[in-house]
Amino acid sequence: FAVEPLIAKMILPWFGGSAGVWMACLLFFQAALLVGYAYAHLLARLAPPRLQWLVHVALLALSFAALPIIPSPAWKPTDVYDPLLRIIALLSMTVGLPFVLLAATGTLLQSWLARDNDAVNMVLYDRTLLWLTFGLAIIGFVMVIAATRLLLG
């Protein structure tokens, strides 16, 4: 998900460098995340497991056509009056499919592992969540200490 600020920073000067550009990017990425989760949910509910795997792998292969995720200069606006739709279209064409599939992959993997009813899978999943929680707590702790030292001198 590091691509979000990266591509936003790339297109920021094209659209005047305002906070509206950042907000449009945020809107796009939140909507794309929701679309990815909806895709994973629908695929897991409506298709048999083998078809789920085939569809998802085929879409992942198709998404490689979008790489690298560098926006084309053809997307530069001629006027910056109302850039929202142009930003959404640019992001959709540049990073849309890879981002949606990235958002869906974790959810689909969890769905596939849960169907195995294998206790080992759930133990590994629980340990992963435990370490992620621990890592987030450490990052938060370090950030609070760093901010306190920076503000208090």
Side-chain angles (χ1 to χ4, degrees):
F1 292 94
V3 73
E4 297 174 29
L6 178 70
I7 197 160
K9 193 173 180 180
M10 284 180 183
I11 67 170
L12 188 65
W14 293 2
F15 294 95
S18 70
V21 177
W22 288 105
M23 293 309 295
C25 291
L26 181 63
L27 170 72
F28 169 79
F29 285 112
Q30 289 297 311
L33 187 65
L34 182 63
V35 168
Y37 289 159
Y39 156 73
H41 174 75
L42 291 174
L43 190 62
R45 294 281 180 197
L46 300 177
R50 176 116 173 108
L51 182 61
Q52 291 173 26
W53 185 84
L54 290 173
V55 167
H56 194 64
V57 168
L59 286 174
L60 283 171
L62 180 66
S63 74
F64 282 114
L67 298 177
I69 54 166
I70 299 170
S72 167
W75 283 100
K76 284 186 180 181
T78 54
D79 62 347
V80 289
Y81 178 67
D82 188 19
L84 177 64
L85 293 178
R86 189 170 191 97
I87 292 170
I88 299 296
L90 181 154
L91 293 172
S92 296
M93 297 304 294
T94 306
V95 73
L97 184 61
F99 189 85
V100 166
L101 294 174
L102 177 66
T105 298
T107 305
L108 284 172
L109 282 172
Q110 290 174 17
S111 171
W112 297 334
L113 289 174
R115 285 194 179 142
D116 286 343
N117 291 328
D118 187 4
V120 173
N121 290 332
M122 293 314 292
V123 168
L124 291 175
Y125 179 70
D126 288 344
R127 287 184 182 165
T128 302
L129 286 179
L130 179 67
W131 282 109
L132 286 172
T133 304
F134 179 70
L136 287 173
I138 293 296
I139 289 171
F141 182 72
V142 168
M143 289 178 68
V144 167
I145 289 174
T148 305
R149 287 185 179 171
L150 182 68
L151 292 174
L152 299 178

